[in-house]
Amino acid sequence: ESWWARGIQGVAFSGPIWFFLKALFLLYVQIWLRWTLPRIRLDQVLYGCVQVLLPMTMVLVFGTTLWTWANTSGHAGWMMFSKFWMILLGLVGVVFLIGFVAIAVYGFYHRRRLVGVLVVDALPGS
């Protein structure tokens, strides 16, 4: 195979063309979601970020740290401890996955209602 053919194949399948197509796809998804979903108030965004996503992120960072620490310990004595952490953190991941699915199912069945402090009575006629 000549270097021209390899160059064309690299540009066509692993280079700027794929980057451009992925960027267009993500732009389309962003515009589609923005035009489809209702706008969220700033206090709702802050509540979701500070009181929901930040603590969950801290738990996930801590779990990733433990996972990495358990996998990189090269001593034979740590092998059982490493397996324990891997199983425990795997179970925590499964619990998070079940929780996310439960939240999505709840949101699907209660489309018009918000949960907790985000509940606001609708204006008459809306």
Side-chain angles (χ1 to χ4, degrees):
E1 200 172 350
S2 70
W3 63 277
W4 277 100
R6 288 192 319 214
I8 291 173
Q9 183 179 6
V11 169
F13 295 110
S14 65
I17 293 175
W18 277 111
F19 176 77
F20 184 71
L21 290 175
K22 289 188 281 188
L24 279 179
F25 173 74
L26 292 174
L27 179 68
Y28 170 76
V29 170
Q30 181 183 3
I31 292 172
W32 174 38
L33 290 174
R34 175 107 173 138
W35 289 352
T36 304
L37 299 175
R39 292 190 180 156
I40 301 175
R41 294 189 327 259
L42 185 59
D43 61 327
Q44 293 172 335
V45 173
L46 289 174
Y47 168 80
C49 289
V50 174
Q51 292 186 359
V52 177
L53 293 177
L54 183 64
M56 185 172 23
T57 303
M58 292 298 116
V59 168
L60 292 175
V61 166
F62 182 68
T64 303
T65 303
L66 291 177
W67 186 280
T68 304
W69 180 63
N71 282 335
T72 56
S73 60
H75 302 295
W78 290 100
M79 198 56 91
M80 190 61 136
F81 185 69
S82 173
K83 288 183 182 184
F84 167 75
W85 276 114
M86 290 172 59
I87 291 171
L88 180 68
L89 293 173
L91 291 174
V92 168
V94 169
V95 168
F96 268 102
L97 179 66
I98 291 171
F100 290 147
V101 170
I103 290 170
V105 168
Y106 179 85
F108 179 76
Y109 285 116
H110 300 92
R111 291 183 188 167
R112 298 262 181 202
R113 289 183 279 173
L114 294 173
V115 182
V117 298
L118 299 178
V119 175
V120 176
D121 292 334
L123 296 174
S126 61

